[in-house]
Amino acid sequence: AAAAEGDARQRIERLLGDADQYEKVFNDLQRGIAADDAAAVAALLRYPVRVSVGGKDQNVADAAAFQRDYDKIVTPALAKLIAEQKFDTLFVNWQGVMLGQGEVWINGKCLDKECTKSEVKVNNIGQ
């Protein structure tokens, strides 16, 4: 039901903070996937990042490793799911925002003790 509400921005603001950061990462992810730009997608990830390759979960240590396995991680089905996701219908909870049925998670990480600054990145990608 939460995903159908169409108010992802309000839910992000209420639960996670700055919705603009989440929307930027979401839009950049869609653009990077659409352009099949492994380097651009790799730059959006928080390492080590959890991925799924051939149905097996694993951690990828860095951008170079992600780019090397990009075609195994970003399958045509995953690219289609990301392309078709609408920002307004993202599932949002205290853990972050979810695309699809959990194939992609985007969340923030505090950069200071008071959490006045945060960095929003993709921390899980694959299916």
Side-chain angles (χ1 to χ4, degrees), residues 102-122:
E103 291 86 352
V104 179
W105 278 91
I106 301 170
N107 72 7
K109 178 180 178 185
C110 294
L111 299 177
D112 58 19
K113 205 164 95 175
E114 296 76 33
C115 203
T116 57
K117 293 180 183 167
S118 64
E119 175 186 64
V120 175
K121 296 269 190 178
V122 174

Side-chain angles (χ1 to χ4, degrees), residues 49-60 124-127:
V49 66
R50 187 178 161 111
V51 302
S52 181
V53 177
K56 294 185 179 178
D57 289 342
Q58 60 189 59
N59 286 325
V60 173
N124 184 48
I125 186 166
Q127 54 184 19

Side-chain angles (χ1 to χ4, degrees), residues 1 20 33 39 42 53 56 63 66 69 72 74 78 98 103 108 113-114 117 120 123 125:
D20 290 342
I33 296 289
V53 177
K56 294 185 179 178
F66 177 81
D69 291 336
K72 294 179 196 161
V74 181
L78 181 62
M98 178 181 84
E103 291 86 352
K113 205 164 95 175
E114 296 76 33
K117 293 180 183 167
V120 175
N123 70 318
I125 186 166

Side-chain angles (χ1 to χ4, degrees), residues 2 18 21 35 48-49 60-61 71 76 78 93 97 108 116 126:
D18 183 7
Q21 284 190 76
V49 66
V60 173
D71 290 332
L78 181 62
N93 70 15
V97 299
T116 57

Side-chain angles (χ1 to χ4, degrees), residues 11-57:
R11 285 178 279 132
I12 291 169
E13 292 284 345
R14 187 173 69 246
L15 293 169
L16 305 169
D18 183 7
D20 290 342
Q21 284 190 76
Y22 285 86
E23 189 166 22
K24 179 178 183 343
V25 171
F26 173 81
N27 289 335
D28 289 349
L29 178 64
Q30 282 190 323
R31 277 193 288 276
I33 296 289
D36 204 24
D37 187 340
V41 175
L44 299 172
L45 309 180
R46 180 178 299 114
Y47 297 95
V49 66
R50 187 178 161 111
V51 302
S52 181
V53 177
K56 294 185 179 178
D57 289 342

